[in-house]
Amino acid sequence: MFARFETRFAWIKTLLLLPLVGLAIGMTAFFIFDWINPFPPQQLNKAFSQLVVDRNGKPLRAFADSNGVWRYPTTLAKVSPLYIDALINYEDRRFWQHKGVNTLSMLRAIFQWLYYGKPVSGGSTISMQVARILEPHQRSIRGKLWQILRTTQLEWHLNKEEILTLYLNYAPYGGPVEGIEAATFTYLGKSAKYLTHAEAALMAVLPQRPSALRPDRFPQRAELARNKVLKRLSDFSVWSTKAVEQAFDEPVVAMFHSRPLDAPLLSRMLVGQNKDKPLINSTIDKDIQILVADEIKEYLYRFSENTSASALLLENQSMNVLAYVGAADFGNPLRHGHVDMNRAIRSPGSTLKPFIFGMALDEGLIHSQSLLQDVPLTFDDYAPENFTKNYSGAVSAEHALQQSLNLPAVQLLKEIEPVNFAEKLEGAGLKLFLPGDHKPSLSIALGGAGIRLVDLAGAYRALARDGIAGQPRFLKSTPLIEKHLLSKEAAWITANMLSKVPLEASQTSPFFKRHKRWLAHKTGTSYGYRDAWMAAVSRDYTLIVWVGKPDGTPSPGEFGRRTAGPLVNRILNVLPNQFTEQPEKPENVVAKSICWPMGKAEQLTEKKHCHEKKTAWTIDHVTPSTLTTANFNRKNPITIQINQQGERVFQDCVQGVTTTVKVALWPPRVEHWLPKNFRASSLLPPLSSLCRHKERLSENLVIVGVKHDSRISLPPSHDKSLELSLSVLGGYGEITWLLNGELVEKSSGDQKIQLGNFKQGENRIVVLSQNGQMGELSFYLH
């Protein structure tokens, strides 16, 4: 009997151990299977699209994955809680409690399938749907069992938040669209973070039958399905009755938004630099980007079809780029819409001149009203000309910069030295591109180098930010990089000089003044009319605009003020008024009364030497003397000897007692443009007859070939324009010829020239020698 009891006990023990053994074997088999067939895989083969978004998360441009699928990455925190409510309560109410499979729902679904002979209701949980999305299978019993196994693996390795995040990113929404973020942008034009109750319900039901319920194609079907979700949420008291009723009243209005294509060239660059990032957070403001791009595209209709334009808008404090338009019409081959002109190397024209003047201020060479020479000058073998070929004589630094006069800028660059100038620019982030191994020369003042618009923007920012240039930032994650370019005083004075020129006639209107719009701006035109520029700076923003032909062909008659200026004005008119606030003046920038021709402060200048007063902005009250040049290197005022008759004499031709007096003279090369009372012949006493052979100051040149004040009449039968054969007496070296204020010819010594193109009425001819001598006459043509 005892043996029989032991036998029975052994059977009972065996029966009790069998489940445990089975469980152990099952778990061992599961672990082995999971080890051999891991799930989910470490690297999902469903790569995200690359999406570039603006600073507020709005999409700028999307790049589909290799299969052409649009899938934007998101997280639980970036999705509206309303959507999570609708999804969980409609699809899987016990999601947070079950271990991947809802047994009751599964049994109900199987029973209905067997009874009706086809699937009637779904028994899949969200976890099971994720398993099927990541590894699709056939709709069969075998397929369902495989799905359950994969779901078990999913639940073993991931927590509920991670599983739900996979659903948010990979759920199908019709066509090539996957994931809630791509779906809401595609159908609703907004992020999943900002869904209404009605929109959340619609997005929750759409993955059930994504093609059949697409709201852009079948809005009535989509509305019926959405209403089922709303009813269930109301029945379960998930949302209030009022919220659900309002959602019922909201119509389904959706359209299939084509993939976003704002800031396309910048987006292309950022994706190329961040190939492993599915989501790229840029600094662009999409609303501003669209405004600027639209203005450029509309403005360019009046230009030839192969013309393009680009613009960059910079937030000065952060160096964030708010708008980046690299081409006027992206994708248009006629306008070279694939070429990013913001990064192309182009000639800057005169846009570098403000930095020449700023550095001259810092080096103590000038103040804002320093006298500069706008006259034909030759610097070694370099003979620049003004854009208009007209000259003004004596001009202030402020006037020279405002009118973009070439000769004064080159005069200053020679003092600064081109190599030093280029090194300072490059140190601040503005690289100059020169051909071959060429070194910087005086020509860079007028565009004789290459630059990139994006670098130019970082340098112009210095004019409004205490002389500190910066590197434009395209990504939020990019650190702020700033470099010193000018002192804050030089930056403010330079910007102030540039602000006094109206952008166009409207800037002087009562409207412009009423809104207190302040803007410092500079134009530029490259040689051959290939590039038209305008740079505009306010306290908080920098805007650079370029117009031209990407292939480098000329655009005759198109220059900075005429071509780029109106575009800048159009862009500013669609931006808020705070884009044109004025920077604060540094304390040690002081207004001083100064005197021409010497350039010093009025209080430091004898009254008789102060021929003309001006109010200048100075740094720490310093007023530099007027710059000397090769033809004006004497000290001013000069000291001369006077005999008892009041005549000018020299040491070796004097008789009797003499006295000395000081006379302030103007630079000889500007005499042609001076009133007669400011010319040396009026300021100096007459020369003693005993000393005329010793004259060391400039004598007048004599023009030979036509008489002063003569009148020339052409007979009616004369079918050719007048041509005169002219030469100069008394000069040597290079002679510059001006006709009616415009440079027309250059000669050497007494060489004869042929001069024509005279106008009816008075014609004025002026000759200037390289050592400062001048001659002039007028004649009349009838």
Side-chain angles (χ1 to χ4, degrees), residues 39 99-101 125 127-129 131-132 146-156 163:
F39 191 80
K99 299 302 180 182
V101 178
T125 62
S127 301
M128 292 175 69
Q129 292 180 52
R132 186 177 69 245
W146 182 259
Q147 181 184 7
I148 292 172
L149 179 59
R150 286 306 203 186
T151 302
T152 305
Q153 288 182 272
L154 198 67
E155 290 274 349
W156 178 262
I163 293 171

Side-chain angles (χ1 to χ4, degrees), residues 634-707:
R634 58 175 174 259
K635 291 183 179 181
N636 208 14
I638 65 169
T639 301
I640 60 174
Q641 290 182 297
I642 304 295
N643 61 20
Q644 291 177 321
Q645 289 75 38
E647 297 173 323
R648 182 162 43 95
V649 295
F650 298 124
Q651 190 67 38
D652 54 356
C653 61
V654 62
Q655 291 182 353
V657 180
T658 63
T659 58
T660 59
V661 297
K662 290 185 176 182
V663 179
L665 296 177
W666 294 68
R669 296 280 286 196
V670 306
E671 287 226 337
H672 159 61
W673 291 270
L674 292 175
K676 288 188 177 180
N677 60 314
F678 284 166
R679 295 183 180 183
S681 57
S682 299
L683 296 172
L684 292 171
L687 186 65
S688 169
S689 58
L690 299 175
C691 297
R692 285 177 183 167
H693 65 290
K694 294 287 188 179
E695 173 66 277
R696 291 181 294 180
L697 293 173
S698 299
E699 295 178 344
N700 288 338
L701 302 175
V702 178
I703 301 172
V704 178
V706 63
K707 292 184 178 180

Side-chain angles (χ1 to χ4, degrees), residues 503 517 519 521 533-536 543-545 563-573:
L503 185 62
R517 297 183 70 175
L519 198 70
H521 59 89
W533 297 85
M534 179 168 279
L543 173 64
I544 311 289
V545 162
T563 307
L567 180 54
V568 167
N569 198 55
R570 287 181 64 136
I571 292 172
L572 291 175
N573 283 338

Side-chain angles (χ1 to χ4, degrees), residues 157-383:
H157 290 288
L158 304 179
N159 60 38
K160 292 292 185 179
E161 287 79 7
E162 291 171 327
I163 293 171
L164 189 55
T165 299
L166 286 173
Y167 183 90
L168 297 179
N169 283 285
Y170 295 105
Y173 279 89
V177 182
E178 292 185 5
I180 181 61
E181 191 74 357
T184 54
F185 273 122
T186 299
Y187 297 120
L188 305 175
K190 62 165 66 174
S191 170
K193 190 175 184 178
Y194 305 107
L195 297 177
T196 65
H197 289 78
E199 291 166 342
L202 175 64
M203 291 294 108
V205 74
L206 192 53
Q208 282 196 350
R209 299 167 61 202
S211 296
L213 297 178
R214 274 184 55 169
D216 60 317
R217 293 182 178 177
F218 313 107
Q220 292 179 335
R221 289 185 199 169
E223 185 171 343
L224 290 173
R226 179 206 69 181
N227 291 346
K228 285 177 62 179
V229 179
L230 291 174
K231 185 177 183 306
R232 183 173 296 184
L233 293 171
S234 177
D235 293 342
F236 293 155
S237 300
V238 178
W239 292 343
S240 68
T241 302
K242 182 179 180 181
V244 171
E245 288 176 351
Q246 290 176 342
F248 271 124
D249 293 336
E250 188 174 314
V252 171
V253 178
M255 61 181 295
F256 193 89
H257 295 266
S258 58
R259 65 181 187 268
L261 204 59
D262 298 305
L265 291 172
L266 174 64
S267 298
R268 183 181 68 186
M269 180 191 76
L270 295 179
V271 164
Q273 295 173 350
N274 301 272
K275 294 181 179 179
D276 298 327
K277 286 187 177 181
L279 184 65
I280 300 173
N281 293 283
S282 77
T283 59
I284 296 294
D285 185 305
K286 182 169 183 172
D287 295 335
I288 295 175
Q289 172 73 26
I290 292 173
L291 287 173
V292 175
D294 287 349
E295 287 298 327
I296 290 176
K297 188 173 183 179
E298 183 180 339
Y299 176 72
L300 230 66
Y301 284 139
R302 74 178 183 88
F303 293 89
S304 62
E305 62 183 11
N306 59 342
T307 303
S308 187
S310 65
L312 186 145
L313 179 64
L314 189 69
E315 188 177 58
N316 289 336
Q317 182 174 0
S318 65
M319 290 302 295
N320 287 342
V321 175
L322 302 183
Y324 186 104
V325 181
D329 191 1
F330 177 72
N332 183 343
L334 296 177
R335 293 201 185 276
H336 305 276
H338 61 287
V339 181
D340 187 351
M341 298 309 300
N342 282 345
R343 306 188 70 81
I345 298 173
R346 307 292 295 200
S347 166
S350 296
T351 57
L352 300 184
K353 287 178 182 174
F355 307 115
I356 296 175
F357 283 75
M359 291 183 194
L361 284 162
D362 273 335
E363 293 190 15
L365 299 173
I366 60 170
H367 47 66
S368 68
Q369 295 297 324
S370 287
L371 189 158
L372 300 176
Q373 299 182 51
D374 181 36
V375 298
L377 292 170
T378 299
F379 302 86
D380 298 326
D381 58 347
Y382 182 52

Side-chain angles (χ1 to χ4, degrees), residues 18 144 150 206 272 278 316 323 354 366 386 508-509 586 610 664 709 711:
L18 279 176
K144 183 61 68 174
R150 286 306 203 186
L206 192 53
N316 289 336
I366 60 170
N386 277 340
T508 61
S509 68
C610 191
D709 280 341
R711 297 179 179 272

